[in-house]
Amino acid sequence: MIKACIFDLDGTLTRTQESIARPINMTLEHYGLKAQPVEAYNYFAGDGIDNALRRALAASGDEEGKFFSEGIKLCRKWMQEDPLYHVEPYEYVPETLKKLRDYGCKLAVFSNKPHLSAVNVVETILGKNTFDHIQGQTDRIPIKPDPTGVFEILDRFGLSKEECLYFGDTNTDMMTGKNAGVYTVGVTWGFRPREELEKYHADRIIDCPKDFWTCVKEMNEE
């Protein structure tokens, strides 16, 4: 029986491309480099802010990453100052999460966003009492696709991997779910296309946040 759902944040629960692009583009411009279009961050993002900055630097001409060591400090500072920049939940997300909670499902977020920023975004946009646990990037929890964060959440909930669904929108999320041995659901409204989710062997692919609930209900009725 499915008793818990773990969600990626950016591109799965919230539309955050602009909030990711802003501090990185500010960093690029600080070093006299060209800012990248917001849509480019659909592919720069997904593996943590460090990797997103490295990709943006390379795309702007700093292929060796000579500005990275100092730039990441500025980037993190600017991200922390305004992590909610133009962030909004995807349609149907809040009400579907409430439906899952009312059903008795434990809910968690596992994000590669820096931990404090992840907590700020989730609690401000989706509510302080919506999730039972929020896990962002820390020194102790490796970034996805390392499954450590999933295992920690399951331990906190006292549940097995068979009792959990993992939802995400990128190849990183599909690999995270597979590495953790949990049933992995790809969502098509986020940063990456359906083809990527298929390539990385999503167990199921959904096209609307309402289907968070559909997945749980159908699996528990089998």
Short mmCIF file of all heavy atoms in Angstrom, two decimals, residues 104-154:
data_model
loop_
_atom_site.label_atom_id
_atom_site.label_comp_id
_atom_site.label_asym_id
_atom_site.label_seq_id
_atom_site.Cartn_x
_atom_site.Cartn_y
_atom_site.Cartn_z
N GLY A 104 -4.48 10.52 4.08
CA GLY A 104 -3.57 9.93 5.06
C GLY A 104 -2.17 9.71 4.57
O GLY A 104 -1.34 9.09 5.27
N CYS A 105 -1.85 10.22 3.39
CA CYS A 105 -0.51 10.06 2.83
C CYS A 105 0.48 11.00 3.53
O CYS A 105 0.19 12.18 3.76
CB CYS A 105 -0.53 10.41 1.34
SG CYS A 105 -0.19 9.02 0.27
N LYS A 106 1.66 10.48 3.85
CA LYS A 106 2.76 11.32 4.27
C LYS A 106 3.34 12.00 3.04
O LYS A 106 3.47 11.37 1.97
CB LYS A 106 3.85 10.48 4.94
CG LYS A 106 3.45 9.86 6.26
CD LYS A 106 3.58 10.88 7.37
CE LYS A 106 3.45 10.21 8.74
NZ LYS A 106 3.57 11.21 9.84
N LEU A 107 3.71 13.28 3.17
CA LEU A 107 4.22 14.04 2.03
C LEU A 107 5.59 14.62 2.36
O LEU A 107 5.80 15.15 3.45
CB LEU A 107 3.26 15.18 1.67
CG LEU A 107 1.81 14.81 1.34
CD1 LEU A 107 1.02 16.06 0.98
CD2 LEU A 107 1.74 13.79 0.21
N ALA A 108 6.49 14.54 1.39
CA ALA A 108 7.83 15.09 1.57
C ALA A 108 8.31 15.74 0.27
O ALA A 108 7.86 15.38 -0.82
CB ALA A 108 8.82 14.00 1.98
N VAL A 109 9.22 16.68 0.42
CA VAL A 109 9.92 17.29 -0.72
C VAL A 109 11.40 16.92 -0.61
O VAL A 109 11.99 17.00 0.47
CB VAL A 109 9.78 18.82 -0.73
CG1 VAL A 109 10.74 19.45 -1.73
CG2 VAL A 109 8.35 19.22 -1.03
N PHE A 110 11.98 16.50 -1.72
CA PHE A 110 13.42 16.27 -1.81
C PHE A 110 13.93 17.06 -3.00
O PHE A 110 13.64 16.73 -4.15
CB PHE A 110 13.72 14.78 -1.96
CG PHE A 110 15.19 14.44 -2.01
CD1 PHE A 110 16.15 15.27 -1.44
CD2 PHE A 110 15.62 13.28 -2.64
CE1 PHE A 110 17.49 14.95 -1.49
CE2 PHE A 110 16.97 12.95 -2.69
CZ PHE A 110 17.91 13.79 -2.12
N SER A 111 14.66 18.13 -2.71
CA SER A 111 15.08 19.08 -3.75
C SER A 111 16.60 19.25 -3.75
O SER A 111 17.25 19.14 -2.71
CB SER A 111 14.43 20.44 -3.50
OG SER A 111 14.92 21.43 -4.38
N ASN A 112 17.15 19.54 -4.93
CA ASN A 112 18.56 19.92 -5.02
C ASN A 112 18.76 21.41 -4.79
O ASN A 112 19.89 21.89 -4.85
CB ASN A 112 19.14 19.52 -6.39
CG ASN A 112 19.60 18.07 -6.42
OD1 ASN A 112 19.77 17.44 -5.38
ND2 ASN A 112 19.80 17.54 -7.61
N LYS A 113 17.70 22.14 -4.53
CA LYS A 113 17.82 23.54 -4.15
C LYS A 113 18.47 23.62 -2.77
O LYS A 113 18.23 22.75 -1.93
CB LYS A 113 16.43 24.17 -4.13
CG LYS A 113 16.40 25.69 -3.99
CD LYS A 113 14.97 26.19 -3.90
CE LYS A 113 14.21 26.06 -5.19
NZ LYS A 113 14.74 26.93 -6.26
N PRO A 114 19.32 24.64 -2.50
CA PRO A 114 19.87 24.78 -1.14
C PRO A 114 18.77 24.70 -0.09
O PRO A 114 17.67 25.22 -0.29
CB PRO A 114 20.52 26.17 -1.19
CG PRO A 114 20.92 26.35 -2.62
CD PRO A 114 19.81 25.69 -3.41
N HIS A 115 19.06 24.04 1.03
CA HIS A 115 18.03 23.65 1.98
C HIS A 115 17.17 24.83 2.46
O HIS A 115 15.93 24.73 2.44
CB HIS A 115 18.66 22.96 3.18
CG HIS A 115 17.65 22.47 4.18
ND1 HIS A 115 16.80 21.42 3.92
CD2 HIS A 115 17.34 22.93 5.42
CE1 HIS A 115 16.01 21.23 4.97
NE2 HIS A 115 16.31 22.13 5.89
N LEU A 116 17.78 25.91 2.88
CA LEU A 116 17.00 27.03 3.41
C LEU A 116 16.10 27.63 2.33
O LEU A 116 14.96 28.02 2.61
CB LEU A 116 17.93 28.10 3.98
CG LEU A 116 18.68 27.70 5.25
CD1 LEU A 116 19.60 28.84 5.71
CD2 LEU A 116 17.71 27.31 6.37
N SER A 117 16.61 27.70 1.11
CA SER A 117 15.78 28.20 0.01
C SER A 117 14.62 27.25 -0.27
O SER A 117 13.49 27.69 -0.51
CB SER A 117 16.63 28.37 -1.26
OG SER A 117 17.60 29.38 -1.09
N ALA A 118 14.89 25.94 -0.22
CA ALA A 118 13.83 24.96 -0.45
C ALA A 118 12.72 25.09 0.60
O ALA A 118 11.53 25.11 0.27
CB ALA A 118 14.40 23.55 -0.44
N VAL A 119 13.12 25.20 1.86
CA VAL A 119 12.13 25.35 2.93
C VAL A 119 11.33 26.63 2.76
O VAL A 119 10.10 26.63 2.89
CB VAL A 119 12.83 25.32 4.31
CG1 VAL A 119 11.85 25.68 5.42
CG2 VAL A 119 13.45 23.95 4.57
N ASN A 120 12.01 27.72 2.43
CA ASN A 120 11.35 29.01 2.25
C ASN A 120 10.33 28.94 1.13
O ASN A 120 9.17 29.37 1.29
CB ASN A 120 12.40 30.09 1.94
CG ASN A 120 11.84 31.49 2.01
OD1 ASN A 120 10.65 31.70 2.15
ND2 ASN A 120 12.72 32.47 1.93
N VAL A 121 10.73 28.38 -0.01
CA VAL A 121 9.81 28.28 -1.15
C VAL A 121 8.62 27.41 -0.81
O VAL A 121 7.46 27.79 -1.03
CB VAL A 121 10.55 27.74 -2.39
CG1 VAL A 121 9.55 27.38 -3.49
CG2 VAL A 121 11.57 28.74 -2.91
N VAL A 122 8.86 26.23 -0.27
CA VAL A 122 7.77 25.29 0.00
C VAL A 122 6.79 25.87 1.01
O VAL A 122 5.57 25.85 0.79
CB VAL A 122 8.33 23.95 0.51
CG1 VAL A 122 7.19 23.05 1.01
CG2 VAL A 122 9.10 23.24 -0.60
N GLU A 123 7.30 26.39 2.12
CA GLU A 123 6.41 26.86 3.17
C GLU A 123 5.66 28.13 2.78
O GLU A 123 4.51 28.32 3.18
CB GLU A 123 7.20 27.08 4.46
CG GLU A 123 7.70 25.77 5.06
CD GLU A 123 8.31 25.93 6.43
OE1 GLU A 123 8.61 27.09 6.81
OE2 GLU A 123 8.48 24.91 7.13
N THR A 124 6.29 28.99 1.97
CA THR A 124 5.63 30.22 1.54
C THR A 124 4.62 29.97 0.44
O THR A 124 3.50 30.50 0.47
CB THR A 124 6.67 31.24 1.05
OG1 THR A 124 7.62 31.50 2.08
CG2 THR A 124 6.00 32.55 0.66
N ILE A 125 4.97 29.16 -0.53
CA ILE A 125 4.11 28.95 -1.69
C ILE A 125 3.05 27.89 -1.44
O ILE A 125 1.91 28.00 -1.91
CB ILE A 125 4.96 28.57 -2.92
CG1 ILE A 125 5.99 29.66 -3.23
CG2 ILE A 125 4.07 28.31 -4.14
CD1 ILE A 125 5.39 31.02 -3.56
N LEU A 126 3.39 26.84 -0.68
CA LEU A 126 2.48 25.70 -0.52
C LEU A 126 1.98 25.51 0.90
O LEU A 126 1.14 24.64 1.14
CB LEU A 126 3.17 24.43 -1.01
CG LEU A 126 3.52 24.43 -2.51
CD1 LEU A 126 4.42 23.25 -2.86
CD2 LEU A 126 2.26 24.41 -3.37
N GLY A 127 2.51 26.30 1.85
CA GLY A 127 2.00 26.24 3.21
C GLY A 127 2.92 25.53 4.18
O GLY A 127 3.56 24.54 3.83
N LYS A 128 2.98 26.03 5.41
CA LYS A 128 3.89 25.47 6.41
C LYS A 128 3.49 24.09 6.89
O LYS A 128 4.33 23.33 7.38
CB LYS A 128 4.00 26.43 7.60
CG LYS A 128 4.77 27.70 7.30
CD LYS A 128 5.04 28.49 8.55
CE LYS A 128 5.92 29.70 8.25
NZ LYS A 128 6.24 30.47 9.47
N ASN A 129 2.24 23.76 6.80
CA ASN A 129 1.77 22.48 7.33
C ASN A 129 1.41 21.48 6.24
O ASN A 129 0.76 20.47 6.53
CB ASN A 129 0.56 22.71 8.24
CG ASN A 129 0.89 23.59 9.43
OD1 ASN A 129 1.92 23.39 10.08
ND2 ASN A 129 0.05 24.58 9.70
N THR A 130 1.86 21.74 5.02
CA THR A 130 1.50 20.84 3.92
C THR A 130 2.35 19.58 3.91
O THR A 130 1.85 18.48 3.65
CB THR A 130 1.65 21.58 2.58
OG1 THR A 130 0.77 22.71 2.57
CG2 THR A 130 1.31 20.67 1.40
N PHE A 131 3.65 19.71 4.21
CA PHE A 131 4.58 18.59 4.10
C PHE A 131 5.06 18.13 5.47
O PHE A 131 5.29 18.94 6.37
CB PHE A 131 5.77 18.98 3.22
CG PHE A 131 5.40 19.14 1.78
CD1 PHE A 131 5.00 20.38 1.29
CD2 PHE A 131 5.40 18.05 0.92
CE1 PHE A 131 4.62 20.52 -0.03
CE2 PHE A 131 5.03 18.19 -0.40
CZ PHE A 131 4.64 19.43 -0.88
N ASP A 132 5.25 16.83 5.57
CA ASP A 132 5.76 16.26 6.81
C ASP A 132 7.28 16.40 6.91
O ASP A 132 7.83 16.36 8.01
CB ASP A 132 5.38 14.77 6.87
CG ASP A 132 3.88 14.58 6.87
OD1 ASP A 132 3.25 14.82 7.91
OD2 ASP A 132 3.33 14.22 5.81
N HIS A 133 7.95 16.56 5.78
CA HIS A 133 9.40 16.78 5.78
C HIS A 133 9.81 17.47 4.49
O HIS A 133 9.29 17.17 3.42
CB HIS A 133 10.16 15.46 5.92
CG HIS A 133 11.64 15.63 6.03
ND1 HIS A 133 12.23 16.26 7.10
CD2 HIS A 133 12.65 15.29 5.19
CE1 HIS A 133 13.54 16.28 6.93
NE2 HIS A 133 13.82 15.70 5.78
N ILE A 134 10.76 18.42 4.62
CA ILE A 134 11.34 19.11 3.47
C ILE A 134 12.84 18.91 3.52
O ILE A 134 13.47 19.22 4.54
CB ILE A 134 11.02 20.62 3.49
CG1 ILE A 134 9.51 20.85 3.51
CG2 ILE A 134 11.67 21.32 2.29
CD1 ILE A 134 9.12 22.28 3.86
N GLN A 135 13.41 18.39 2.44
CA GLN A 135 14.86 18.14 2.41
C GLN A 135 15.47 18.82 1.19
O GLN A 135 15.20 18.46 0.06
CB GLN A 135 15.15 16.64 2.34
CG GLN A 135 16.63 16.30 2.37
CD GLN A 135 17.27 16.76 3.66
OE1 GLN A 135 16.89 16.30 4.74
NE2 GLN A 135 18.23 17.67 3.56
N GLY A 136 16.28 19.85 1.45
CA GLY A 136 17.04 20.49 0.39
C GLY A 136 18.49 20.06 0.44
O GLY A 136 18.87 19.17 1.19
N GLN A 137 19.30 20.72 -0.39
CA GLN A 137 20.72 20.37 -0.47
C GLN A 137 21.45 20.84 0.79
O GLN A 137 21.34 21.99 1.21
CB GLN A 137 21.35 21.02 -1.70
CG GLN A 137 22.82 20.69 -1.88
CD GLN A 137 23.44 21.48 -3.02
OE1 GLN A 137 22.77 22.23 -3.71
NE2 GLN A 137 24.75 21.32 -3.18
N THR A 138 22.22 19.94 1.41
CA THR A 138 23.06 20.27 2.57
C THR A 138 24.40 19.56 2.40
O THR A 138 24.58 18.73 1.51
CB THR A 138 22.42 19.79 3.90
OG1 THR A 138 22.44 18.36 3.93
CG2 THR A 138 20.99 20.28 4.04
N ASP A 139 25.32 19.86 3.29
CA ASP A 139 26.62 19.17 3.27
C ASP A 139 26.46 17.69 3.62
O ASP A 139 27.27 16.86 3.22
CB ASP A 139 27.59 19.83 4.24
CG ASP A 139 28.00 21.23 3.81
OD1 ASP A 139 27.90 21.51 2.60
OD2 ASP A 139 28.40 22.03 4.67
N ARG A 140 25.40 17.37 4.38
CA ARG A 140 25.21 16.00 4.87
C ARG A 140 24.45 15.12 3.88
O ARG A 140 24.67 13.91 3.83
CB ARG A 140 24.45 16.06 6.20
CG ARG A 140 24.39 14.72 6.93
CD ARG A 140 23.73 14.90 8.28
NE ARG A 140 22.37 15.39 8.16
CZ ARG A 140 21.32 14.62 7.91
NH1 ARG A 140 21.46 13.33 7.75
NH2 ARG A 140 20.11 15.15 7.83
N ILE A 141 23.56 15.72 3.11
CA ILE A 141 22.75 14.97 2.14
C ILE A 141 23.27 15.28 0.74
O ILE A 141 23.14 16.39 0.24
CB ILE A 141 21.27 15.36 2.24
CG1 ILE A 141 20.73 15.13 3.65
CG2 ILE A 141 20.45 14.58 1.20
CD1 ILE A 141 20.66 13.69 4.06
N PRO A 142 23.87 14.30 0.06
CA PRO A 142 24.37 14.54 -1.30
C PRO A 142 23.23 14.91 -2.25
O PRO A 142 22.07 14.53 -2.03
CB PRO A 142 24.99 13.19 -1.69
CG PRO A 142 25.21 12.46 -0.41
CD PRO A 142 24.13 12.92 0.51
N ILE A 143 23.58 15.64 -3.30
CA ILE A 143 22.55 16.02 -4.26
C ILE A 143 22.08 14.79 -5.03
O ILE A 143 22.79 13.79 -5.15
CB ILE A 143 23.03 17.11 -5.24
CG1 ILE A 143 24.22 16.62 -6.09
CG2 ILE A 143 23.37 18.38 -4.50
CD1 ILE A 143 24.57 17.57 -7.22
N LYS A 144 20.86 14.85 -5.51
CA LYS A 144 20.34 13.82 -6.39
C LYS A 144 21.19 13.75 -7.66
O LYS A 144 21.71 14.78 -8.09
CB LYS A 144 18.88 14.15 -6.77
CG LYS A 144 17.94 14.23 -5.58
CD LYS A 144 16.51 14.55 -5.99
CE LYS A 144 16.34 15.98 -6.43
NZ LYS A 144 14.91 16.31 -6.72
N PRO A 145 21.38 12.58 -8.25
CA PRO A 145 20.59 11.35 -8.07
C PRO A 145 21.04 10.43 -6.95
O PRO A 145 20.58 9.28 -6.89
CB PRO A 145 20.77 10.66 -9.42
CG PRO A 145 22.12 11.06 -9.87
CD PRO A 145 22.26 12.49 -9.42
N ASP A 146 21.92 10.89 -6.04
CA ASP A 146 22.22 10.08 -4.87
C ASP A 146 20.92 9.88 -4.09
O ASP A 146 20.18 10.85 -3.84
CB ASP A 146 23.26 10.79 -4.00
CG ASP A 146 23.74 9.92 -2.85
OD1 ASP A 146 22.95 9.70 -1.91
OD2 ASP A 146 24.90 9.48 -2.87
N PRO A 147 20.59 8.66 -3.69
CA PRO A 147 19.30 8.38 -3.05
C PRO A 147 19.27 8.59 -1.54
O PRO A 147 18.26 8.30 -0.91
CB PRO A 147 19.09 6.90 -3.38
CG PRO A 147 20.47 6.33 -3.37
CD PRO A 147 21.35 7.41 -3.95
N THR A 148 20.37 9.10 -0.96
CA THR A 148 20.44 9.22 0.51
C THR A 148 19.25 9.98 1.07
O THR A 148 18.68 9.61 2.11
CB THR A 148 21.75 9.91 0.92
OG1 THR A 148 22.85 9.13 0.45
CG2 THR A 148 21.84 10.03 2.43
N GLY A 149 18.86 11.07 0.42
CA GLY A 149 17.73 11.87 0.90
C GLY A 149 16.43 11.09 0.92
O GLY A 149 15.61 11.24 1.83
N VAL A 150 16.23 10.24 -0.08
CA VAL A 150 15.03 9.40 -0.10
C VAL A 150 15.05 8.42 1.07
O VAL A 150 14.04 8.26 1.78
CB VAL A 150 14.93 8.62 -1.44
CG1 VAL A 150 13.76 7.62 -1.38
CG2 VAL A 150 14.75 9.58 -2.60
N PHE A 151 16.20 7.79 1.30
CA PHE A 151 16.30 6.84 2.40
C PHE A 151 16.05 7.52 3.75
O PHE A 151 15.40 6.96 4.63
CB PHE A 151 17.67 6.17 2.40
CG PHE A 151 17.94 5.32 1.18
CD1 PHE A 151 19.21 5.25 0.65
CD2 PHE A 151 16.92 4.60 0.58
CE1 PHE A 151 19.48 4.47 -0.46
CE2 PHE A 151 17.17 3.82 -0.55
CZ PHE A 151 18.45 3.75 -1.07
N GLU A 152 16.57 8.75 3.89
CA GLU A 152 16.36 9.46 5.15
C GLU A 152 14.88 9.76 5.37
O GLU A 152 14.36 9.64 6.49
CB GLU A 152 17.17 10.76 5.17
CG GLU A 152 16.85 11.63 6.37
CD GLU A 152 18.05 12.39 6.90
OE1 GLU A 152 19.14 11.82 7.01
OE2 GLU A 152 17.86 13.56 7.23
N ILE A 153 14.20 10.17 4.32
CA ILE A 153 12.77 10.45 4.44
C ILE A 153 12.00 9.19 4.82
O ILE A 153 11.14 9.22 5.71
CB ILE A 153 12.24 11.06 3.12
CG1 ILE A 153 12.82 12.46 2.92
CG2 ILE A 153 10.71 11.10 3.12
CD1 ILE A 153 12.63 13.01 1.52
N LEU A 154 12.31 8.09 4.17
CA LEU A 154 11.63 6.84 4.51
C LEU A 154 11.90 6.43 5.96
O LEU A 154 10.99 5.96 6.65
CB LEU A 154 12.07 5.73 3.55
CG LEU A 154 11.62 5.88 2.09
CD1 LEU A 154 12.22 4.77 1.23
CD2 LEU A 154 10.10 5.87 1.98
#
